[in-house]
Structure formats: C-alpha cells, structure tokens
Amino acid sequence: MWDGYFDEIMTKIEPGNEGWQSLALYYNMNEGWYDNSPWKIPNNTEALDQLETVELSGLDDVPRKILISMIELIKNNIDRVIYIEYS
C-alpha cells in the first residue's frame, strides 16, 4: 500500500487524554516500523481499537477500503503476531 494512504488513515486518529497511544504513538514519533522493518505490532487489541475510531466518512475511497481491510485483518488475527513492513 502506498504510504500516503496509510498517512491519511493515521492522521485521523486523535490523541487520548494521556496523549498518543499504540500505533498513533509510533506513527507520530516516527518510530517503530520507521526504525525496524518488519515491525511487530505490540498490542493488536489496542491497534484495532484505535483504528476503529477513524470515521470512514472522513477518508477518501481508497484509504477507506484500506482501513476496512486493516481492521478485518487485525480482527481475524487478533491473537497472532502481526507485522508492519515499511520500505
């Protein structure tokens, strides 16, 4: 997937009361998959919860489809190791 689509999704995630958490923390700090690829998502449940907060109506068509696929992938593999690969 083009990283511009991923960027559009990630910028829709708002910080919580305690600041950035989970995937959004790594994204906004340019850490995680930016440092080491492939990079293991540390907590699939937190990542899923965070992605599910993104309003689909606020995304263009392609990022919306990608987000739906990402959510489905994590739901179907919640108890497995999931990696993000960045190149």
Side-chain angles (χ1 to χ4, degrees):
M1 134 182 61
W2 177 52
D3 63 346
Y5 296 138
F6 188 70
D7 288 343
E8 184 175 340
I9 294 166
M10 294 304 295
T11 58
K12 301 293 184 189
I13 298 173
E14 297 291 330
N17 293 335
E18 298 178 20
W20 298 112
Q21 303 293 317
S22 191
L23 292 182
L25 173 65
Y26 296 101
Y27 173 80
N28 286 288
M29 299 296 292
N30 289 321
E31 296 177 352
W33 56 88
Y34 295 105
D35 296 329
N36 298 305
S37 183
W39 176 79
K40 179 184 164 192
I41 296 175
N43 187 314
N44 294 342
T45 302
E46 286 180 0
L48 177 61
D49 291 345
Q50 199 166 62
L51 290 173
E52 287 180 327
T53 67
V54 176
E55 285 290 327
L56 294 175
S57 62
L59 296 171
D60 290 333
D61 189 51
V62 173
R64 183 180 321 114
K65 290 177 182 176
I66 291 170
L67 176 59
I68 291 168
S69 295
M70 288 171 60
I71 289 170
E72 184 178 320
L73 180 138
I74 295 173
K75 280 183 179 179
N76 292 336
N77 296 281
I78 198 77
D79 294 324
R80 295 192 174 124
V81 176
I82 302 174
Y83 290 93
I84 294 176
E85 187 171 335
Y86 179 78
S87 56

